[in-house]
Amino acid sequence: MPDVVPTSAPRSEELFARARAVTPGGVNSPVRAFNAVGGTPRFIRSASGAWLTDVDGREYVDLICSWGPMLLGHAHPEVLAEVEAAVRRGTSYGTPTEPEVELAEEIVARTSVERVRFVSSGTEATMSAIRLARGATGRDVVVKFAGCYHGHVDSLLASAGSGLATFSVPGTPGVPESSTALTLVLPYNDRGAVEAAFADHGDRIACVITEAAPGNMGVVPPEPGFNGFLAETCRRHGALFISDEVMTGFRVTRTGQWGLDGAVEGWRPDLVTFGKVMGGGFPAAAFGGRADLMAQLSPEGPVYQAGTLSGNPVATTAGLTTLRLATDEVYAHLGSVADTLKTAASDALSVAGVPHVVQATGTMFSIFLLDGGPVRDFDDASRTDSAAYAAFFHAMLDAGVHLPPSAYEAWFVSAAHDDRAVQTVLDALPGAARAAAAAQEGPA
Ligand SMILES: *Cc1c(COP(=O)(O)O)cnc(C)c1O
């Protein structure tokens, strides 16, 4: 554990310059570029347990955990052993294999889904679930919520139109208006907006897709009963309810689905998407649901969907081993580490006089640097003081703690976050909170 971490990162600087010469922004996924916090991203050479080691040899407590997947920590010995054995048997055959059957059985046993199909990314999972929902209902319109992220699917990279229940506009160049013209973007946690959308377009709505508990605008839990309300509204109108658990699935609870454990009304989502933890750090994701709906998929049914590396034997082995090792004790440990960290962060920010709101869904939490609260939707989250977060982030980084380089992300912990890792974070917090206080934007 380094006592003093210099802020310069010469090898990372050099690699970043080389990366930018050959890759847009120097990264293969935008958030990694540090655009939201400034500075040079740390190029990581290796990771073990709760720790990342960068190419300059500095160590950081990892609070990104690959944006969720590394539930057990990095380079877990048993996961590595199974993966190494799988690699020696060959890495891809393009034929059915035993590990994919075992992983599917594990997911079916633990969750509400009756059939599951594997893909290689969460984006593919949501894209395929929406295609299936449209194919099964014979309808075209998709409802999503502002601030919920479902991967970079054309029809979901949409911004709200000019009013409630009006069709949306592309959220990025390169997405044609025709791709988002059938998407309705509504404010999260807003039952009235959902009712208005169904009143106007109910017989055209194929599905509502929502993060089971949003983590991609920071952690914004559904208000009690909101998911059940969505499921029931869909049922009444003959639409399907897609619960996107790519982030929450197997991270928040052992039984896979936060949205399910969170429900008391006895509803079930029609389709569910998974990713991140179920891939154990490999490119694997899935969508699943009711058997009759999944039977609509090719080759059993007419809705086409396929993938060269889908159900890859190495990836499914990593996922299966991870899920088998994710015991109740693991989730209890994640919960206690998360509690310690969020309490300490909140205390440090209070002492430094930085207004903030801590929100959590199970062991997934985030800290919004803003006055007031709770944060109910994307508009609320957008009031975050980005300058204060950037200062906080860099002070933590300098003290050996790697937070997500964006104010709108959850902090992730793992089973490998032990006392030494936690203490490193606790030691870093007061200074980072003072840095945030000094950088606050104008009067609150
Ligand atoms: C990460 C994420 C996705 C996209 O998954 P990728 O594997 O990055 O394509 C989709 N939905 C949610 C809720 C996510 O958190």
Side-chain angles (χ1 to χ4, degrees):
M1 184 172 64
D3 288 334
V4 178
V5 182
T7 49
S8 64
R11 274 285 287 157
S12 282
E13 305 261 9
E14 181 201 322
L15 281 171
F16 197 38
R18 278 170 56 195
R20 274 177 303 189
V22 288
T23 300
V27 292
N28 287 299
S29 200
V31 72
R32 298 178 197 168
F34 275 27
N35 281 355
V37 292
T40 304
R42 298 304 187 260
F43 282 65
I44 300 305
R45 183 177 66 203
S46 65
S48 178
W51 297 83
L52 303 170
T53 303
D54 75 11
V55 288
D56 290 295
R58 291 192 200 96
E59 294 190 331
Y60 307 90
V61 178
D62 183 13
L63 294 179
I64 302 179
C65 290
S66 187
W67 302 94
M70 308 320 298
L71 187 82
L72 303 175
H74 296 283
H76 187 284
E78 282 172 73
V79 177
L80 286 191
E82 293 294 331
V83 165
E84 278 169 16
V87 167
R88 280 195 207 95
R89 294 190 292 266
T91 53
S92 181
Y93 325 119
T95 68
T97 63
E98 187 166 347
E100 63 195 310
V101 181
E102 291 185 304
L103 182 57
E105 286 170 347
E106 186 81 15
I107 291 174
V108 167
R110 284 201 197 190
T111 71
S112 71
V113 310
E114 296 170 341
R115 301 279 188 280
V116 62
R117 164 83 39 102
F118 293 124
V119 291
S120 300
S121 70
T123 296
E124 262 186 279
T126 59
M127 180 186 78
S128 305
I130 282 170
R131 183 180 308 142
L132 177 56
R134 285 172 159 163
T137 58
R139 300 174 177 184
D140 291 337
V141 173
V142 173
V143 174
K144 81 170 287 278
F145 295 98
C148 282
Y149 177 70
H150 306 289
H152 61 101
V153 180
D154 273 8
S155 63
L156 301 179
L157 290 177
S159 301
S162 50
L164 283 187
T166 58
F167 288 98
S168 60
V169 295
T172 167
V175 170
E177 275 173 32
S178 57
S179 291
T180 57
L182 296 167
T183 307
L184 287 168
V185 182
L186 305 180
Y188 190 63
N189 269 327
D190 188 336
R191 293 183 187 217
V194 174
E195 271 156 6
F198 274 91
D200 288 0
H201 307 289
D203 57 353
R204 296 180 60 201
I205 295 174
C207 60
V208 172
I209 183 167
T210 183
E211 288 186 57
N216 283 295
M217 51 177 142
V219 174
V220 178
E223 286 175 358
F226 185 64
N227 284 334
F229 160 78
L230 293 178
E232 170 56 20
T233 306
C234 286
R235 197 194 55 73
R236 256 190 301 122
H237 291 272
L240 300 177
F241 180 50
I242 305 177
S243 183
D244 181 354
E245 300 247 16
V246 170
M247 183 181 284
T248 45
F250 307 104
R251 171 151 279 279
V252 177
T253 68
R254 186 177 177 280
T255 55
Q257 284 168 265
W258 185 85
L260 191 60
D261 284 7
V264 287
E265 306 95 335
W267 57 273
R268 292 286 180 275
D270 299 295
L271 294 171
V272 186
T273 54
F274 297 110
K276 297 194 168 107
V277 171
M278 62 144 284
F282 280 79
F287 63 107
R290 276 168 31 204
D292 63 306
L293 285 174
M294 294 301 286
Q296 299 281 316
L297 275 182
S298 184
E300 215 172 326
V303 179
Y304 188 71
Q305 192 279 331
T308 301
L309 292 175
S310 296
N312 172 272
V314 181
T316 47
T317 297
L320 182 65
T321 311
T322 298
L323 292 192
R324 285 184 175 161
L325 292 168
T327 57
D328 288 336
E329 295 78 71
V330 164
Y331 291 96
H333 177 78
L334 297 179
S336 87
V337 171
D339 282 346
T340 304
L341 295 187
K342 70 192 185 209
T343 305
S346 182
D347 289 350
L349 290 164
S350 295
V351 168
V354 181
H356 64 280
V357 177
V358 180
Q359 296 195 167
T361 296
T363 66
M364 217 171 78
F365 65 100
S366 62
I367 295 165
F368 297 91
L369 300 186
L370 51 78
D371 213 349
V375 177
R376 292 180 66 245
D377 62 16
F378 186 60
D379 278 353
D380 290 346
S382 304
R383 293 191 293 107
T384 291
D385 184 338
S386 305
Y389 184 79
F392 183 77
F393 170 86
H394 277 290
M396 294 295 281
L397 194 67
D398 290 350
V401 180
H402 205 317
L403 292 174
S406 159
Y408 298 95
E409 304 289 351
W411 299 17
F412 293 106
V413 296
S414 81
H417 282 68
D418 57 7
D419 291 346
R420 184 170 77 96
V422 168
Q423 193 59 49
T424 302
V425 181
L426 299 186
D427 292 345
L429 283 167
R434 287 192 295 275
Q440 281 178 87
E441 284 164 349

